[in-house]
Amino acid sequence: MAEAFIDAFDAVLSDLDGVVYAGPHAIPGAPEALRGLAQRGVRLGYVTNNASRSPAEVAAHLRELGAPAADDDVVSSAQAGAALLARQVPAGSRVLVAGSAALAHEVELRGLVPVRSAHDDPVAVIQGFSPDLGWRELAEASYAVASGALWIATNTDLTIPQARGIAPGNGSLVNAVRAATGKEPLVAGKPEAPLFLTAAERLGAERPVVVGDRLDTDILGGNRAGFATAAVLTGVDTKETILAARTAERPKFILATLADFYEPYPAPEAADGGWRAGRSAARVEGGSIRITGSPEDINAWRAACAAWWEAHPEAERKTAPELVWES
């Protein structure tokens, strides 16, 4: 019997939004797939750029959805942002928090004093996602940053998956302050490597796989950390955007859902001047890819990616080919 995909790894470092849940609801089958990891001896950690809730709150939500999660299993960009902040400013410094109460709490835990107004003369601004963040908070952050305060963003995700669709993320709100000030923030969370390295160290993992739905944060960050990366098609990025990805954001693996953990993974192999995965095959012809298979078959996309990426090994920009399908 062929080995399941997950048996090659000793830990999963999983994103949350778009992988485990969308908004308040679990993605169908995700909690069950995550519960099955322990039976295979595979450890589980969650790495999230969402700084609106504390790790304990995130873990409680995961348990409500049926996913296994202890409080320490969650590593958030709020924690990373507060840690970065504490390395930049003296203990006891005032810091304007443009974000959630959970982010303010992480700042307090680092011996810093959260404030909410530029009138309080903060030496730094830390900005993280909160669904309640409005114009007044963004304006206060802008005033402080323009006056010379250090500016740290927990993350720069432009969008965030919600139950009703894709909504603006922290990166969109960061862009508002950037536009008002002409300044650039230091970024603590994904796609930087420290979040993933911290999570792997916490789990004692030697062969982790990073699983995420976003190329520009999860996959880029996992690649930067030197880990195997798997893009799952339940969130933001699609088969088409993965195929077009620039080199730094290309995943090693593509999964339809987390249920693919327990299926054999037919790694693409070079064959007949192209690439084959399962019963599907693909070859590059100029600016197009000729694919033998069905658009509904994920193996066809795995083969197409292998073929296109071999033809464009050093792509600094997205490169979308024309697709020619043959049954």
Side-chain angles (χ1 to χ4, degrees), residues 234-259:
T234 51
V236 171
D237 273 296
T238 66
K239 292 172 283 193
E240 290 82 2
T241 62
I242 292 170
L243 177 61
R246 62 192 186 97
T247 302
E249 298 179 354
R250 292 171 179 171
K252 184 173 178 60
F253 304 100
I254 306 170
L255 308 177
T257 70
L258 295 190

Side-chain angles (χ1 to χ4, degrees), residues 238-245 289 301 304-305 308-309 319 321 323:
T238 66
K239 292 172 283 193
E240 290 82 2
T241 62
I242 292 170
L243 177 61
I289 303 178
W301 293 92
C305 286
W308 187 248
W309 295 349
T319 55
L323 304 181

Side-chain angles (χ1 to χ4, degrees), residues 82-95 107-114 121-124 150 152:
L84 176 59
L85 187 62
R87 293 194 294 270
Q88 300 285 330
V89 301
S93 296
R94 294 181 181 183
V95 177
V107 169
E108 285 183 319
L109 290 177
R110 294 288 177 170
L112 304 169
V113 180
D121 296 322
V123 300
L150 172 71
I152 289 176

Side-chain angles (χ1 to χ4, degrees), residues 13-110:
L13 305 182
S14 177
D15 181 45
L16 294 175
D17 294 310
V19 177
V20 185
Y21 53 68
H25 303 297
I27 289 172
E32 293 82 355
L34 294 171
R35 289 201 302 269
L37 293 175
Q39 301 171 15
R40 315 288 281 238
V42 178
R43 284 156 284 187
L44 174 61
Y46 300 98
V47 183
T48 177
N49 262 358
N50 190 336
S52 63
R53 296 182 294 174
S54 70
E57 290 172 323
V58 172
H61 181 214
L62 288 167
R63 292 192 293 269
E64 289 172 0
L65 297 177
D71 293 356
D72 286 346
D73 292 339
V74 179
V75 181
S76 76
S77 64
Q79 292 175 314
L84 176 59
L85 187 62
R87 293 194 294 270
Q88 300 285 330
V89 301
S93 296
R94 294 181 181 183
V95 177
L96 193 154
V97 177
S100 66
L103 179 57
H105 180 62
E106 293 295 339
V107 169
E108 285 183 319
L109 290 177
R110 294 288 177 170

Side-chain angles (χ1 to χ4, degrees), residues 60-303:
H61 181 214
L62 288 167
R63 292 192 293 269
E64 289 172 0
L65 297 177
D71 293 356
D72 286 346
D73 292 339
V74 179
V75 181
S76 76
S77 64
Q79 292 175 314
L84 176 59
L85 187 62
R87 293 194 294 270
Q88 300 285 330
V89 301
S93 296
R94 294 181 181 183
V95 177
L96 193 154
V97 177
S100 66
L103 179 57
H105 180 62
E106 293 295 339
V107 169
E108 285 183 319
L109 290 177
R110 294 288 177 170
L112 304 169
V113 180
V115 299
R116 293 287 181 174
S117 172
H119 286 306
D120 295 317
D121 296 322
V123 300
V125 172
I126 186 167
Q127 184 174 355
F129 178 77
S130 170
D132 300 319
L133 199 66
W135 180 88
R136 293 184 185 279
E137 290 82 6
L138 294 175
E140 292 297 329
S142 297
Y143 302 148
V145 170
S147 296
L150 172 71
W151 182 24
I152 289 176
T154 60
N155 66 291
T156 52
D157 295 42
L158 290 174
T159 59
I160 184 169
Q162 297 290 287
R164 294 170 58 192
I166 304 298
N170 194 54
S172 296
L173 304 177
V174 166
N175 279 343
V177 177
R178 180 186 284 118
T181 64
K183 305 287 188 178
E184 290 291 331
L186 298 176
V187 181
K190 297 183 267 185
E192 304 308 319
L195 265 178
F196 299 99
L197 297 171
T198 298
E201 182 180 9
R202 189 177 293 184
L203 295 176
E206 297 180 355
R207 302 184 316 280
V209 57
V210 173
V211 180
D213 69 308
R214 299 185 64 109
L215 301 181
D216 60 349
T217 56
D218 306 315
I219 304 307
L220 178 57
N223 288 343
R224 285 176 170 173
F227 298 150
T229 52
V232 63
L233 301 172
T234 51
V236 171
D237 273 296
T238 66
K239 292 172 283 193
E240 290 82 2
T241 62
I242 292 170
L243 177 61
R246 62 192 186 97
T247 302
E249 298 179 354
R250 292 171 179 171
K252 184 173 178 60
F253 304 100
I254 306 170
L255 308 177
T257 70
L258 295 190
D260 284 354
F261 280 169
Y262 305 103
E263 300 294 330
Y265 192 95
E269 298 179 346
D272 302 323
W275 288 79
R276 176 173 294 277
R279 297 182 178 179
S280 297
R283 67 180 185 276
V284 174
E285 297 180 350
S288 65
I289 303 178
R290 190 170 295 274
I291 307 171
T292 303
S294 166
E296 283 70 48
D297 180 9
I298 193 170
N299 283 327
W301 293 92
R302 290 165 176 162

